[in-house]
Amino acid sequence: MVERSIRLSSAEIAGLWETYLQENLAVCLITYFMHHNKDDEIKPLLQDAFDLSTKHIEQITSIFNAEGIPIPDGFTEEDLDLTAPPLFYDMFGLSFVYSMSRMSMINTGFLTGNVARKDIMDFFVTMIRNTSELYRDSTNLMLSKGIYDRPPMIPYPDDVEYAKKLSYISGFGKKRSINVAEISEIFFNIERNFFSVLLCMGLMQVVKDKEIHQYIADGKKISEKQINTFNDILEREQLLGIVTTSMNVTNSTVSPFSDRLIVTLFNSLNGIDVTLIGHALSLAMRSDLAAYYQKYIIEVLAYSAKGVKLMVERGWAQMPPQAPDRRKHEKL
């Protein structure tokens, strides 16, 4: 029997390309945290995260080489200054692994649903398992160190209930209590934005470029607005608000990262944020929550466009593979 050679689909190339760049970025950041971290419990977790991302890069490189696809331009040691003083305390490294593994676990799930070729499917399925295990280990370590803030608790329901009136979806004027799906999305939105605020705080101390500094400051404001909006909702529901357990930024003013790495990181986080807010919107059955999510999706998209403009102007915007321009080729 003749073995057929199955070419990669556009979705498979896109998933591998995106994953390569994200894992390459992760390797640089984890290298920085590993260099400075002194906590004997956190260091093995950072090493596990580093090894996983490095393995994923090697696997994608092998696939692209076999297919004759150029390898994306990644970050190198030139984008990292390990001689710079620590910008974050040890616990932030743990928070970073937790946040990145959680977002990667979700994003990789989306990518897996787009692929079909066996080796690519196997790669992403294994990546989900590995990332899930990393998420589990980081969560357990955060719990043991007392820095994991669990979502709000509610009394267990006594019965299964059905909505009897269309007012169930009303969020303006008289409104119902929020349900568990809505509480969950609000909680993790706040948690994600607290992480972003800490990241912005640190980077604003070290970035010298005025335009990039303003870009980071704008991102910090967007995150703070989301935190305030959704904390207010929880407080009105008498579920209390969510407060960070610690501030993990040092007073260093020397940047350990290149400007290109920083802006690329923000561009990546913006894309994931839009996805997660969109997911929250799909679960919001109260009109006021839906309105907030729509507002913030638009705001993050506008902010993301500023970041892309900044990258294009600086020559940092790397384009993924594109379809040929058939109309152009048709001309004599």
Side-chain angles (χ1 to χ4, degrees):
M1 184 172 66
V2 179
E3 184 177 341
R4 292 179 59 194
S5 177
I6 304 173
R7 300 176 71 246
L8 293 175
S9 70
S10 56
E12 289 160 347
I13 296 173
L16 293 170
W17 184 278
E18 176 186 337
T19 301
Y20 181 96
L21 292 173
Q22 289 179 349
E23 294 295 82
N24 174 260
L25 181 62
V27 163
C28 283
L29 293 165
I30 295 167
T31 297
Y32 163 78
F33 288 120
M34 288 173 62
H35 179 76
H36 289 292
N37 204 289
K38 307 300 182 186
D39 189 297
D40 290 335
E41 292 182 300
I42 298 176
K43 283 193 290 186
L45 184 72
L46 290 169
Q47 185 66 56
D48 288 344
F50 177 86
D51 292 342
L52 273 179
S53 291
T54 301
K55 182 180 179 181
H56 296 153
I57 290 170
E58 292 171 351
Q59 291 174 307
I60 296 172
T61 298
S62 177
I63 293 169
F64 278 174
N65 284 337
E67 298 291 332
I69 297 174
I71 307 301
D73 290 333
F75 296 99
T76 67
E77 57 187 20
E78 294 180 0
D79 295 288
L80 203 58
D81 182 6
L82 297 179
T83 66
L87 183 56
F88 304 98
Y89 292 109
D90 286 354
M91 291 299 176
F92 190 81
L94 173 56
S95 297
F96 175 83
V97 174
Y98 163 79
S99 297
M100 292 299 104
S101 61
R102 182 175 187 273
M103 288 187 278
S104 176
M105 185 171 59
I106 296 169
N107 191 52
T108 305
F110 283 112
L111 297 177
T112 305
N114 295 337
V115 304
R117 205 174 88 171
K118 185 180 183 305
D119 58 335
I120 311 303
M121 177 72 77
D122 290 345
F123 168 77
F124 280 117
V125 167
T126 302
M127 184 175 173
I128 288 177
R129 183 173 66 249
N130 293 338
T131 307
S132 299
E133 290 170 351
L134 189 63
Y135 171 74
R136 175 200 62 199
D137 294 344
S138 59
T139 301
N140 288 339
L141 187 53
M142 290 177 73
L143 282 165
S144 71
K145 289 184 173 295
I147 62 169
Y148 182 83
D149 190 8
R150 299 186 68 185
M153 305 290 185
I154 68 164
Y156 291 168
D158 295 320
D159 301 294
V160 174
E161 295 185 67
Y162 289 84
K164 296 181 176 61
K165 296 181 179 179
L166 195 58
S167 59
Y168 184 82
I169 66 173
S170 176
F172 301 99
K174 186 178 181 181
K175 49 180 135 340
R176 60 164 173 82
S177 300
I178 53 178
N179 62 40
V180 288
E182 293 162 342
I183 294 172
S184 176
E185 293 301 321
I186 287 173
F187 171 83
F188 287 109
N189 180 284
I190 295 172
E191 179 189 69
R192 188 170 67 251
N193 279 287
F194 267 131
F195 174 81
S196 296
V197 167
L198 288 173
L199 184 65
C200 290
M201 284 175 59
L203 295 176
M204 285 175 66
Q205 292 179 182
V206 298
V207 168
K208 308 304 180 188
D209 185 293
K210 290 184 178 180
E211 191 175 10
I212 296 174
H213 187 278
Q214 185 59 55
Y215 175 66
I216 297 171
D218 291 343
K220 181 172 178 283
K221 290 177 183 177
I222 293 173
S223 288
E224 288 171 338
K225 282 196 290 186
Q226 291 191 58
I227 291 170
N228 292 334
T229 294
F230 294 113
N231 254 337
D232 285 346
I233 292 172
L234 291 182
E235 289 170 359
R236 287 199 300 269
E237 298 286 336
Q238 299 185 24
L239 292 170
L240 304 180
I242 300 167
V243 182
T244 52
T245 53
S246 59
M247 301 301 286
N248 295 292
V249 181
T250 71
N251 61 357
S252 174
T253 57
V254 181
S255 180
F257 311 118
S258 69
D259 288 348
R260 181 173 78 101
L261 188 150
I262 291 170
V263 178
T264 303
L265 172 61
F266 273 70
N267 186 60
S268 177
L269 293 176
N270 287 337
I272 295 172
D273 199 32
V274 169
T275 299
L276 295 178
I277 296 175
H279 181 258
L281 173 61
S282 72
L283 294 176
M285 297 185 69
R286 226 173 68 174
S287 54
D288 60 331
L289 298 180
Y292 285 129
Y293 288 131
Q294 290 177 61
K295 170 189 173 184
Y296 286 124
I297 283 179
I298 293 172
E299 194 162 353
V300 174
L301 283 171
Y303 176 69
S304 180
K306 292 180 181 178
V308 172
K309 179 175 180 291
L310 192 59
M311 293 179 69
V312 170
E313 291 174 347
R314 304 295 177 95
W316 299 338
Q318 189 172 178
M319 295 190 302
Q322 300 180 95
D325 186 343
R326 302 292 184 186
R327 289 183 295 271
K328 179 180 178 181
H329 294 325
E330 289 171 356
K331 295 179 180 179
L332 294 176

